[in-house]
Amino acid sequence: MDRRRYLQALGVGSALSVAGCLGGSDGSSAAIADQTLTVAAATTVNDSGLLGDISAGFKDAFDTTVRAVVRGTGAALRTARDGNCDAVFVHARPLEDEFLRAGHGVNRRTVMGNDFLVVGPPDDPAGTAGSDPLAAFRAIASNRATFLSRGDRSGTHVRERRLWDEAGVEPTGNWYRETGQGMGATLIAAGETGAYTLVDRGTFLNTETDLAAHVARGLDDPPDLLRNEYAVIPTNPARHDVAYALAMAFVGYLTGPGQGRIETFRVDGERAFRPLARSEEPDFDQYVPAEWAP
């Protein structure tokens, strides 16, 4: 399918038009100057407000065009698998591993992290406040308190399903509802219906609702079940005609000067993410599927 028609059919999340200055596939600046970088980005990156900030920074640094197709992580990876974007910016390691093992993406890099929160009505009818996430999920189920799931194979939905599994609960019944929508829309719906939901910190801070965060362990060192890691992965240029040089420039920006932008990004004065790309001892596992062995 023609990518221009594909993007028009989907609806493009953002477009920033400028001129390029990086070397293209033939090594020349001119080869990249007229190209457009298409990034399939998780809805949480967009709904937090960070995507626009990062895109503006990339525009200033490289003077090129960026288009963002905003989707849940599963759909974003499918966009790359079909050759309809140059890179993905996502946050579901199990789905990323499938994508990498199948050879659809190359050169994965960890970019940043934050944490997941269990949020719900301020009066907390299920009594979740201060609990660990598994106890909170069990309390929601035992009290049959309304819970809204994204139900869309996004990064947040993948983590939610892991929490139910580890809590030993199969959520069924009228109290458990799937929205099939992005994080911001799901959070607003939870606020309007007095429901609980699982949300990333960035979207929670950037979305106005009456919901309270009942399970929150902090941005800097959350427990594994609440840790939320984001990565950038270029689409494999051996399989699709993609703007690979621009995709690698985006990787370089996110893991280089973009780290400072992520560190200083605030929502109403509060930190929403923490940069993770810079380390004197980089983690080899970030480049390959988890539990990889030669």
Side-chain angles (χ1 to χ4, degrees):
M1 182 177 185
D2 176 77
R3 183 185 295 181
R4 179 172 298 175
R5 287 190 294 108
Y6 173 83
L7 290 170
Q8 289 173 343
L10 278 180
V12 174
S14 63
L16 302 171
S17 297
V18 280
C21 60
L22 287 176
S25 58
D26 66 354
S28 69
S29 298
I32 282 187
D34 296 325
Q35 289 189 24
T36 295
L37 176 69
T38 302
V39 178
T43 65
T44 56
V45 182
N46 180 67
D47 293 348
S48 64
L50 179 67
L51 184 59
D53 194 68
I54 286 291
S55 296
F58 186 70
K59 168 187 174 180
D60 291 342
F62 293 108
D63 216 24
T64 188
T65 300
V66 176
R67 288 196 182 111
V69 179
V70 179
R71 294 290 181 269
T73 288
L77 292 169
R78 186 166 61 251
T79 301
R81 183 192 66 200
D82 294 341
N84 289 312
C85 68
D86 306 306
V88 295
F89 194 3
V90 292
H91 69 131
R93 191 61 196 264
L95 301 186
E96 294 167 38
D97 285 351
E98 293 175 8
F99 180 77
L100 291 166
R101 287 185 183 279
H104 299 305
V106 293
N107 297 330
R108 177 192 185 275
R109 285 295 307 273
T110 299
V111 175
M112 64 189 187
N114 64 5
D115 56 327
F116 288 109
L117 315 173
V118 180
V119 303
D123 60 350
D124 192 23
T128 62
S131 302
D132 68 65
L134 299 184
F137 269 45
R138 294 188 191 108
I140 292 168
S142 64
N143 285 277
R144 300 183 65 80
T146 304
F147 185 96
L148 295 192
S149 168
R150 287 180 58 176
D152 62 352
R153 209 166 181 254
S154 60
T156 306
H157 183 225
V158 168
R159 181 57 56 88
E160 178 219 315
R161 295 303 310 181
R162 177 184 170 188
L163 287 167
W164 289 122
D165 288 344
E166 295 202 19
V169 175
E170 179 57 41
T172 57
N174 292 335
W175 62 272
Y176 183 79
R177 306 169 188 173
E178 293 185 345
T179 68
Q181 299 185 63
M183 192 68 260
T186 297
L187 189 62
I188 290 170
E192 292 174 343
T193 58
Y196 290 88
T197 193
L198 185 72
V199 63
D200 68 289
R201 179 177 294 269
T203 303
F204 182 67
L205 291 174
N206 202 42
T207 306
E208 186 174 350
T209 71
D210 293 329
L211 299 176
H214 297 303
V215 179
R217 291 292 182 268
L219 178 66
D220 290 315
D221 190 27
D224 180 63
L225 286 173
L226 297 178
R227 186 172 293 115
N228 184 27
E229 182 180 287
Y230 291 82
V232 59
I233 310 173
T235 303
N236 187 348
R239 295 193 175 181
H240 299 286
D241 181 16
V242 293
Y244 182 65
L246 270 179
M248 288 303 297
F250 190 61
V251 172
Y253 176 76
L254 289 178
T255 59
Q259 291 286 284
R261 205 169 186 105
I262 292 166
E263 176 63 44
T264 58
F265 180 76
R266 296 289 186 274
V267 178
D268 290 334
E270 294 193 46
R271 294 171 64 214
F273 301 92
R274 61 190 181 97
L276 297 176
R278 291 177 176 173
S279 172
E280 292 183 1
E281 298 179 1
D283 179 11
F284 173 74
D285 291 339
Q286 69 178 297
Y287 307 113
V288 295
E291 301 180 359
W292 173 87

